[in-house]
């Protein structure tokens, strides 16, 4: 897959290398197409852990609290893992949205990247809240309606289509 995505295999030996966001997009897109799996990244996310993100994952999970872990993830993601991204927490009435926001307008591979990012964000919270924690719902930007149900099943929660950033949503009573 790395060769098909025009990425050097040496990246496998340097997991802490900062990659341009479009390289992430391309690798996930090529893999998804090769496997004929439109929800590949959601499936992959179920098998990943925050520890698999090397130095970034260790930095985030060594925070003393979930709040600090979220802050660490947000400030270090564009410098340690991939560029053109930010993680933002917002409150809307009783809902808390932790969103994955992209400044790169590229479309090819974007949806796969967002599905995987949502899983990593869930993994951060599970590190502190326990392995069974799930958001009330997830929002995926511009996901095709036919993919809502399969993604929701893989992620174990309701999936909504949004026209803003992809996010995990937790209600005030969670």
């Amino acid at each position: 897959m790395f060769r098909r995505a025009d990425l050097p295999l040496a990246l496998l030996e340097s997991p802490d290398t900062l990659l341009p966001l479009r390289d992430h997009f391309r690798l996930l897109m090529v893999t998804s197409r090769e496997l004929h799996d439109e929800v590949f990244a959601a499936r992959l996310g179920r098998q990943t852990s925050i520890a698999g993100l090397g130095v970034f994952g260790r930095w985030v999970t060594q925070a003393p609290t979930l709040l600090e872990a979220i802050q660490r993830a947000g400030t270090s993601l564009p410098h340690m893992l991939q560029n053109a991204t930010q993680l933002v927490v917002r409150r809307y009435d009783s809902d808390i949205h932790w969103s994955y926001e992209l400044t790169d307008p590229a479309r090819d591979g974007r949806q796969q990247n967002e599905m995987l990012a949502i899983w990593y964000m869930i993994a951060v919270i599970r590190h502190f809240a326990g392995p069974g924690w799930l958001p009330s719902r997830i929002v995926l930007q511009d996901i095709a309606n036919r993919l809502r149900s399969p993604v929701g099943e893989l992620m174990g929660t309701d999936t909504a289509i949004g026209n803003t950033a992809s996010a995990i949503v937790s209600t005030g009573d969670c």
Side-chain angles (χ1 to χ4, degrees):
M1 292 307 134
F2 276 74
R3 284 189 194 113
R4 287 189 179 116
D6 294 323
L7 293 171
L9 286 175
L11 286 173
L12 294 171
E13 297 167 15
S14 336
D16 295 322
T17 301
L18 177 70
L19 281 180
L21 183 62
R22 288 185 186 205
D23 288 345
H24 283 261
F25 283 11
R26 193 170 53 253
L27 181 59
L28 290 167
M29 178 188 65
V30 165
T31 305
S32 171
R33 286 182 181 166
E34 185 72 21
L35 296 174
H36 305 286
D37 185 354
E38 291 182 294
V39 295
F40 162 73
R43 219 177 295 287
L44 176 64
R46 288 175 61 132
Q47 300 173 28
T48 60
S49 73
I50 195 73
L53 294 178
V55 172
F56 173 79
R58 286 189 300 279
W59 168 244
V60 171
T61 57
Q62 288 173 355
T65 65
L66 173 58
L67 178 59
E68 188 170 328
I70 288 171
Q71 290 169 337
R72 284 182 179 193
T75 58
S76 59
L77 177 67
H79 306 289
M80 295 177 79
L81 197 59
Q82 62 187 21
N83 70 341
T85 56
Q86 62 180 5
L87 300 172
V88 179
V89 176
R90 293 182 181 90
R91 182 178 196 108
Y92 300 99
D93 297 322
S94 64
D95 289 347
I96 304 295
H97 291 233
W98 189 19
S99 62
Y100 176 70
E101 301 179 8
L102 307 173
T103 58
D104 190 314
R107 303 301 306 161
D108 286 343
R110 182 185 193 109
Q111 194 164 75
Q112 295 293 324
N113 178 269
E114 290 180 1
M115 283 188 269
L116 187 56
I118 292 295
W119 264 116
Y120 278 121
M121 293 162 66
I122 290 170
V124 168
I125 296 175
R126 283 181 170 177
H127 180 78
F128 292 87
W133 183 89
L134 283 171
S136 303
R137 70 183 177 281
I138 59 169
V139 177
L140 289 172
Q141 183 179 354
D142 301 325
I143 189 171
N145 196 39
R146 73 181 182 286
L147 299 179
R148 280 181 60 203
S149 180
V151 169
E153 287 175 23
L154 286 166
M155 295 204 173
T157 191
D158 289 334
T159 302
I161 299 170
N163 58 4
T164 60
S166 294
I168 59 176
V169 180
S170 186
T171 60
D173 59 349
C174 288

